[in-house]
Amino acid sequence: MEIAKRTENGSGQCVHLCRPPPAPDLPMQHRGADSGSAVFWRPWIDDGGEKEQEAPHNAVEAVPLKQGRSLMDWIRLTKSGKDLTGLKGRLIEVTEEELKKHNKKDDCWICIRGFVYNVSPYMEYHPGGEDELMRAAGSDGTDLFDQVHRWVNYESMLKECLVGRMAMKPALPKDYHEEKKVLNGMLPQSQVTDTLAKEGPSSPSYDWFQTDSLVTIVIYTKQKDINLDSVIVDHRDDSFRAETVIKDYSYLVHVALSHEIQEDFSVLVVENVGKIEIVLKKKENTSWKCLGHPQENHNSFIPKKDTGLFYRKCQLVSKEDVTHDTKLFCLMLPPSTHLEVPVGQHVYLRLPITGTEIVKPYTPVCDSLFSEFKEPVLPNNIYIYFLIKIYPAGFFTPELDQLQIGDYVSVSNPEGNFIISQLQELEDLFLLAAGTGFTPMVKVLNYALTNIPSLRKVKLMFFNKTEDDIIWRSQLEKLAFKDKRFEVEFVLSAPTSEWSGKQGYISPALLSEFLKRRSDTSKVLICLCGPTPFTEQGMKMLHDLNFSKDEIHSFTA
Ligand code: FAD
Ligand code: NAP
């Protein structure tokens, strides 16, 4: 274990005493000798037509590059989605021994400022030639790099080649047990189970540093696919809790802070290095000797299924009729909370009913289908919306319906097995929803239309009993009018005689007519949600229609 000592200089900047220099994070935050000036690529080389500039005097000679190996070609390759590290998006902790092993042209790792890059794919694109790059093969190339490349924004150029961070050298503290009680910097290895160490993602770690007015907690997830919705932060009284979800695992930082902080904090994610920064504002500008005291499961990294659900009390701020029996509920998160429910996931609502805490799952929606196109009336990082059908003979929903504006209901952390990457490169998205089974489709639909450039068509087939039961019918029709990629078809099981649209239940005939794929090779996803028998029958029909497992996602509890 290493203890990172910190002190503050007069300007309130954090000074690292026994760490490598600050890690590269955002590409434009290059901290070279000329930091503050623009960073640029070795511009005296053919870079696909960019303006020539004067070469810095200590630059090495450029060597001719092969056809198709210009900077533009390299950028194209890095954007192609090809796995350039061979690690399938994982970030690992690299020991010196491991680094040394990767010292050949076709397997060449180099460490720069504590970060390790696999530069083999880059060899032929390196303007200084392969031999120059090989001088640092399997070793720390920071000094070499600084001699000739100090101005190069390598963090951005090589971000797809990032293998991970150099591992800290283990150094046992004098009194290990004493160290465990008071958190002053890096903690001992997380409590990782044996099986996890072998099979799951690498264990994250955390660190903290301070200035006069701020305390920053940094979580190194060692994964690239980290977003703002991967971390959930709750601060109540002096208890600070940050849960990071990494694949099916949960990493928890849970401490009783040693000093008071202000209500608002910010959460930043540096996706390309998998780093999360939580910036807390001190109440008083004093120097903290330690972060705080560990609380239950602090610094643990365990399968999510083995963690209990954490709840926070949210206030009901509005309730609006949507149909004769379905309402849009808006709940406000408590202050000092960061929680964004990922697309396709649900939460649990908890209420005390006749002396017992009752819990039911609900899927958050946007405040409207057009929320991506207009300024939200209320900021969506504070409010969570639900479309909930009230069953008069139900157990939970009549109680929920009884809540007055200002009353509280507890909301859990998100759950669910929908993965957003299922939507990547999608061409056709088919949504089959029955009744409130429409709720998970709302965010999926919004996300796909806004964020998936390859998307050509989204078709929703929406099953209800009568016209009066259709949730957000006019919004759906408006969206179909506005966005030609979107089509909606309503199917009613008990329509009036005036209904001229489709009627009946989910059936192979309806599905085969509806699910027309563009070509044999087009990437398709079919999402299903509704009463359990509806979903089960639908799944069977889809398999019979030869859609593969990967092409079907059913929303269940
Ligand atoms: P329940 O007490 O469960 O009763 C529901 C209906 O069934 C009532 O009409 C009741 O009379 C009848 N019933 C109950 N027991 C029996 C029985 N033994 N025999 C015959 N009939 C019976 N719902 C939403 O509205 N919005 C959502 O966003 C949403 N998201 C969900 C997400 C997931 C992952 C899951 C699994 C469900 C979701 N649901 C959602 C459904 C929700 O969780 C509840 O099941 C629903 O609100 C009903 O709860 P209740 O306690 O009021 O009714
Ligand atoms: P509903 O009004 O009872 O049913 C909606 C439509 O589906 C109606 O046309 C209904 O026909 C039809 N239907 C019902 N059972 C069917 C079956 N076995 N086969 C074919 N069609 C069937 O629906 P709801 O009350 O809104 O209930 C929605 C369901 O979705 C709930 O069970 C809820 O738990 C579930 N849900 C799940 C999630 C999730 O993420 N897993 C999210 C939200 C909702 P008839 O009424 O005429 O029979």
Side-chain angles (χ1 to χ4, degrees):
M1 181 176 83
E2 178 184 282
I3 305 165
K5 289 198 189 121
R6 290 168 189 76
T7 184
E8 288 183 43
N9 63 20
S11 64
Q13 295 296 305
C14 172
V15 179
H16 279 249
L17 290 184
C18 59
R19 284 290 165 82
D25 33 31
L26 293 169
M28 291 314 288
Q29 288 179 336
H30 176 65
R31 300 187 187 93
D34 55 351
S35 78
S37 60
V39 286
F40 53 92
W41 174 238
R42 308 256 322 254
W44 58 100
I45 307 296
D46 168 25
D47 62 2
E50 286 203 14
K51 195 169 166 272
E52 286 209 345
Q53 294 181 26
E54 199 184 326
H57 59 264
N58 55 350
V60 291
E61 285 300 305
V63 298
L65 295 173
K66 286 185 200 157
Q67 190 82 29
R69 294 291 182 271
S70 71
L71 171 61
M72 285 316 292
D73 294 313
W74 172 248
I75 290 171
R76 247 175 250 128
L77 178 64
T78 60
K79 295 211 186 316
S80 67
K82 200 170 167 198
D83 176 14
L84 296 182
T85 59
L87 294 171
K88 300 196 175 81
R90 256 179 85 161
L91 293 175
I92 59 170
E93 210 159 88
V94 184
T95 59
E96 271 182 37
E97 295 70 46
E98 184 64 33
L99 179 64
K100 275 185 202 151
K101 288 184 206 158
H102 301 270
N103 60 0
K104 296 168 209 72
K105 264 189 191 163
D106 60 353
D107 178 18
C108 179
W109 291 8
I110 292 178
C111 170
I112 307 173
R113 294 192 223 295
F115 281 76
V116 179
Y117 299 88
N118 176 357
V119 295
S120 292
Y122 178 63
M123 284 283 170
E124 294 189 345
Y125 298 81
H126 184 229
E130 300 183 9
D131 293 343
E132 197 209 334
L133 211 49
M134 282 306 292
R135 285 170 65 201
S139 68
D140 189 332
T142 310
D143 288 346
L144 212 56
F145 177 86
D146 281 348
Q147 280 167 29
V148 286
H149 292 301
R150 202 170 180 74
W151 52 88
V152 173
N153 57 344
Y154 69 93
E155 298 101 317
S156 134
M157 292 295 303
L158 294 180
K159 72 173 189 243
E160 295 306 324
C161 300
L162 183 67
V163 167
R165 274 166 76 95
M166 280 306 285
M168 297 290 173
K169 282 206 186 99
L172 276 178
K174 281 193 206 122
D175 183 344
Y176 175 85
H177 297 290
E178 192 53 33
E179 183 54 30
K180 260 194 108 173
K181 271 191 256 153
V182 179
L183 308 173
N184 195 9
M186 287 294 273
L187 269 196
Q189 265 287 319
S190 321
Q191 299 148 21
V192 184
T193 60
D194 283 353
T195 46
L196 172 62
K198 284 181 211 117
E199 296 158 15
S202 330
S203 172
S205 61
Y206 85 99
D207 200 353
W208 71 283
F209 57 88
Q210 61 182 312
T211 65
D212 278 350
S213 55
L214 304 174
V215 167
T216 302
I217 298 173
V218 187
I219 297 167
Y220 301 103
T221 66
K222 299 170 193 160
Q223 293 291 319
K224 282 184 183 170
D225 301 329
I226 296 296
N227 304 303
L228 274 174
D229 60 20
S230 310
V231 61
I232 301 156
V233 185
D234 290 273
H235 173 243
R236 302 283 163 273
D237 306 320
D238 69 345
S239 164
F240 177 88
R241 197 180 183 286
E243 183 173 343
T244 307
V245 177
I246 299 164
K247 302 211 162 90
D248 294 333
Y249 294 87
S250 157
Y251 176 67
L252 186 67
V253 172
H254 190 195
V255 295
L257 294 174
S258 64
H259 293 68
E260 283 188 73
I261 56 168
Q262 296 180 33
E263 211 169 67
D264 58 321
F265 54 75
S266 49
V267 180
L268 310 162
V269 171
V270 187
E271 281 177 38
N272 56 4
V273 292
K275 188 169 82 169
I276 297 166
E277 290 187 352
I278 306 163
V279 186
L280 313 175
K281 293 180 188 161
K282 292 179 181 176
K283 248 198 180 145
E284 285 170 16
N285 287 3
T286 49
S287 177
W288 293 19
K289 292 207 169 53
C290 66
L291 182 62
H293 294 269
Q295 303 287 290
E296 196 187 357
N297 290 331
H298 171 66
N299 204 26
S300 62
F301 187 50
I302 47 183
K304 219 172 155 233
K305 63 178 174 41
D306 298 339
T307 63
L309 270 180
F310 184 79
Y311 287 84
R312 75 277 303 144
K313 279 190 172 165
C314 297
Q315 213 171 10
L316 178 66
V317 293
S318 68
K319 187 170 68 170
E320 230 176 73
D321 286 344
V322 173
T323 68
H324 63 99
D325 59 6
T326 301
K327 299 186 180 182
L328 182 68
F329 289 79
C330 176
L331 301 180
M332 182 170 64
L333 289 166
S336 304
T337 306
H338 168 84
L339 167 64
E340 291 181 11
V341 181
V343 172
Q345 296 206 6
H346 55 270
V347 294
Y348 292 85
L349 298 187
R350 190 177 72 186
L351 273 181
I353 300 176
T354 57
T356 310
E357 296 283 358
I358 305 295
V359 162
K360 291 260 166 148
Y362 294 93
T363 314
V365 294
C366 319
D367 61 340
S368 91
L369 279 179
F370 295 94
S371 52
E372 298 296 332
F373 307 110
K374 68 172 171 60
E375 279 291 305
V377 183
L378 299 168
N380 52 18
N381 54 350
I382 299 177
Y383 299 94
I384 310 186
Y385 294 87
F386 297 93
L387 282 165
I388 297 181
K389 176 166 170 178
I390 311 298
Y391 296 87
F395 194 59
F396 191 81
T397 47
E399 292 290 329
L400 195 67
D401 198 27
Q402 287 299 308
L403 293 182
Q404 302 298 309
I405 303 303
D407 284 350
Y408 287 90
V409 53
S410 296
V411 178
S412 78
N413 282 2
E415 295 264 290
N417 55 7
F418 184 80
I419 308 164
I420 199 89
S421 59
Q422 288 174 262
L423 297 172
Q424 290 313 323
E425 285 158 33
L426 203 65
E427 289 163 68
D428 293 308
L429 175 62
F430 298 105
L431 308 172
L432 304 172
T436 56
F438 170 63
T439 54
M441 309 305 177
V442 172
K443 281 198 187 180
V444 169
L445 176 62
N446 250 336
Y447 183 88
L449 287 176
T450 319
N451 296 293
I452 307 296
S454 54
L455 195 74
R456 289 192 292 205
K457 204 93 220 148
V458 186
K459 286 171 80 177
L460 167 69
M461 187 169 259
F462 196 1
F463 297 83
N464 285 281
K465 217 180 180 81
T466 69
E467 280 183 84
D468 292 344
D469 296 317
I470 303 173
I471 298 171
W472 281 352
R473 178 179 179 177
S474 72
Q475 285 200 42
L476 286 165
E477 285 169 342
K478 267 190 210 144
L479 184 63
F481 180 75
K482 203 172 157 114
D483 192 325
K484 293 296 163 227
R485 294 170 302 167
F486 177 63
E487 278 176 26
V488 58
E489 185 140 28
F490 302 112
V491 183
L492 301 181
S493 54
T496 59
S497 53
E498 283 105 69
W499 177 250
S500 57
K502 292 229 156 41
Q503 44 182 295
Y505 293 101
I506 190 167
S507 68
L510 268 182
L511 292 186
S512 55
E513 189 199 330
F514 182 70
L515 303 167
K516 290 264 181 297
R517 60 192 313 156
R518 203 165 292 267
S519 73
D520 288 348
T521 55
S522 59
K523 193 174 172 200
V524 171
L525 182 69
I526 306 165
C527 295
L528 270 137
C529 191
T532 307
F534 165 91
T535 308
E536 285 173 359
Q537 287 170 30
M539 293 281 283
K540 189 173 176 307
M541 291 170 199
L542 292 174
H543 289 305
D544 293 346
L545 288 169
N546 288 328
F547 287 98
S548 71
K549 267 190 180 161
D550 292 345
E551 292 175 324
I552 305 169
H553 181 88
S554 69
F555 290 92
T556 49

